[in-house]
Amino acid sequence: MNTHIDEAKRILVTNDRGGYTVPTDRLYPFQWNWDSAFVAMGFALYDTDRAYRELERLVEGQWADGMIPHIVFHQPSDTYFPGPSVWRTKHTIPTSGITQPPVFVIALRKLHEAAGNKDRTLPLYEAALKWHRWWYSARDPEGTGLVALLHPWESGSDNSPAWDVALARVPTTTDTPVVRKDTGHVNAEMRPRDEDYRRFIHLVDTYAACGWDPARQWEKAPFKIAEIQTTAILLKAGEDLEYLARLFGRTEDAAEIATLNERTRQAILVQWRPALSRFVSRDLISGEDVEAATQAGFIPLLSLDLDRQIADALVDEMKAWSEGLKVAFPTTKPGIAGWEPKRYWRGPAWAIINWLLIDGLKRNGHTEAAEELRRSTVSAIEAEGFAEYFDPITGEGCGGLGFSWTAAAYMWLMKA
Ligand code: DGY
């Protein structure tokens, strides 16, 4: 019996708040969107009923326009900022007003394959399709095939160096007082800086003033990045949605989704930069490439069957970044300006990012590199516990502890 698996399951029990799982106690006391999707994949391995509940509870937060918000505030808590009074959204249950990477339908497909419960899968499929359409209408109104983020939190990689240039243009003034709670739970050196928070909240104030209307936000957004990681995840979501549509005989849906998938596939390929050996995002305000060296540039492995040459170049680059590290894969290239191995998304290794990369490496025939990354992730967790993320130099577990998605990732990686 693997005691780490028992511990992983215990963490999910501890973080259960009634059919949904908080990422970790106190630091993140609500339901987060992509956290829950990863957690549902963990549950799908041993408790499919609970996995369905996780996704069903997330959908309670879905807006009439299709968006599934990044936080659903099912119950009040005073250990987190910014809470519902800052977001000022209108849904029946309080939610945030922005979204997060669409891992939801990737989880739903795995869950359906494990449980085969069409009655429970179908309503979630409908919710996923509505959200998928929202992504393309609200976040790619010009039909480029790449979807844009209007807030760094939507990427899930909140303070990544990828946002430094674009975020510097966002004012640090806020209408809402910034009263951080996160640094009361976790060492401030491991969190975004105060200046980042002022910009994060400036964006929230701006979009709240637009009444959260997607068209008005698109027009007013001071931060607008056609983002490669989210778009690559959306394409994988699109593949899984198309698979479910065909399975359920929804041929019209399947054709619609297939067209979107193809458009996005082509658009991602245009973002390949041979000189960098990475894919890049595009800043829609400056019109420039986002060249910061972060993990996002490798995530297209997940959803494209790449030419051998491109896949090999990505893998060589990943190896170069990982050389001499205790734990791969660093979310920022070690040693560059902006690299901070303990500060959240500015360098640390994250189990869920590794999970996406491992799936992508396998898809593209790099099974050895996938296995190496899998082993690195598993040993980091076994040595340090289910931390939010890991310092790639020392291997130290950092950020919040008893973290739900690290537990889910561990279970999944032990099965893979
Ligand atoms: C936070 O509060 O740090 C979250 O990542 C935002 O979603």
Side-chain angles (χ1 to χ4, degrees):
M1 196 65 206
N2 179 327
T3 55
H4 300 289
I5 296 273
D6 291 344
E7 178 57 15
K9 290 184 180 171
R10 248 193 319 272
I11 284 171
L12 297 189
V13 170
T14 306
N15 290 342
D16 187 297
R17 296 290 180 275
Y20 71 92
T21 311
V22 298
T24 186
D25 193 31
R26 297 181 67 76
L27 179 62
Y28 296 123
F30 309 107
Q31 186 173 23
W32 259 259
N33 186 326
W34 74 327
D35 290 74
S36 271
F38 284 109
V39 162
M41 289 194 264
F43 279 132
L45 296 171
Y46 65 98
D47 185 350
T48 55
D49 174 58
R50 184 60 185 77
Y52 275 115
R53 279 308 289 147
E54 189 75 32
L55 297 181
E56 288 160 357
R57 296 241 48 197
L58 185 65
V59 166
E60 290 173 22
Q62 183 167 36
W63 287 15
D65 68 4
M67 183 185 75
I68 303 187
H70 100 297
I71 308 175
V72 184
F73 299 106
H74 291 288
Q75 305 165 36
S77 165
D78 60 6
T79 67
Y80 180 79
F81 172 87
S85 64
V86 178
W87 291 97
R88 294 157 276 173
T89 56
K90 299 272 178 330
H91 190 64
T92 42
I93 303 173
T95 71
S96 71
I98 57 173
T99 193
Q100 248 180 354
V103 179
F104 179 90
V105 77
I106 303 174
L108 182 62
R109 174 179 174 173
K110 285 192 166 46
L111 175 54
H112 187 77
E113 285 171 345
N117 186 336
K118 189 174 170 188
D119 288 348
R120 280 183 98 174
T121 303
L122 209 48
L124 295 171
Y125 160 83
E126 300 285 4
L129 177 59
K130 257 178 91 175
W131 189 24
H132 206 70
R133 289 176 174 146
W134 175 89
W135 272 108
Y136 281 96
S137 64
R139 296 312 181 81
D140 183 23
E142 283 143 33
T144 67
L146 302 176
V147 291
L149 307 183
L150 305 187
H151 195 297
W153 284 343
E154 294 195 309
S155 66
S157 307
D158 305 2
N159 66 339
S160 168
W163 323 131
D164 288 357
V165 173
L167 209 53
R169 291 192 296 259
V170 175
T172 53
T173 49
T174 62
D175 298 335
T176 303
V178 176
V179 189
R180 293 182 66 173
K181 302 277 176 81
D182 57 319
T183 44
H185 310 303
V186 166
N187 184 340
E189 305 286 300
M190 296 181 183
R191 297 290 304 170
R193 297 187 158 82
D194 281 347
E195 193 182 312
D196 300 327
Y197 259 79
R198 287 198 294 273
R199 295 190 158 106
F200 294 157
I201 298 305
H202 179 97
L203 292 171
V204 173
D205 286 341
T206 304
Y207 303 140
C210 294
W212 297 106
D213 173 63
R216 284 174 65 200
Q217 289 180 76
W218 186 262
E219 198 184 301
K220 294 267 185 256
F223 179 96
K224 202 189 283 184
I225 308 272
E227 210 268 325
I228 202 70
Q229 173 168 295
T230 309
T231 302
I233 293 173
L234 185 71
L235 176 56
K236 177 72 175 87
E239 286 184 340
D240 290 347
L241 200 56
E242 187 186 338
Y243 166 88
L244 290 173
R246 291 196 196 286
L247 193 67
F248 298 145
R250 303 287 183 100
T251 38
E252 275 179 32
D253 293 354
E256 174 192 343
I257 301 159
T259 304
L260 295 172
N261 288 348
E262 189 48 29
R263 186 190 302 163
T264 291
R265 205 170 281 127
Q266 295 312 323
I268 291 177
L269 287 172
V270 172
Q271 297 307 107
W272 169 244
R273 295 291 173 272
L276 300 176
S277 299
R278 284 182 276 123
F279 291 85
V280 296
S281 301
R282 187 148 36 91
D283 185 327
L284 295 184
I285 292 185
S286 68
E288 284 173 4
D289 280 357
V290 176
E291 288 199 348
T294 73
Q295 88 288 346
F298 302 93
I299 303 293
L301 283 162
L302 177 72
S303 50
L304 286 109
D305 301 310
L306 295 163
D307 285 350
R308 191 83 235 163
Q309 225 185 340
I310 296 183
D312 289 354
L314 284 167
V315 171
D316 286 349
E317 186 67 7
M318 286 179 72
K319 282 192 184 140
W321 290 26
S322 305
E323 215 166 293
L325 296 182
K326 188 137 181 199
V327 186
F329 184 70
T331 45
T332 300
K333 184 177 181 178
I336 65 163
W339 144 261
E340 294 180 82
K342 282 195 180 11
R343 202 185 286 278
Y344 212 36
W345 289 93
R346 301 183 74 85
W350 291 71
I352 53 105
I353 291 296
N354 289 357
W355 180 356
L356 299 177
L357 289 171
I358 289 163
D359 282 357
L361 288 166
K362 283 195 202 154
R363 174 178 188 149
N364 281 280
H366 281 276
T367 43
E368 237 173 76
E371 180 53 19
E372 212 172 297
L373 187 53
R374 190 191 74 84
R375 261 191 270 116
S376 173
T377 317
V378 162
S379 348
I381 296 171
E382 290 181 350
E384 289 283 318
F386 298 89
E388 187 174 8
Y389 56 83
F390 299 86
D391 177 332
I393 303 280
T394 63
E396 183 190 343
C398 297
L401 302 176
F403 225 84
S404 300
W405 71 7
T406 310
Y410 181 79
M411 287 189 265
W412 197 265
L413 295 177
M414 289 307 285
K415 180 203 159 263

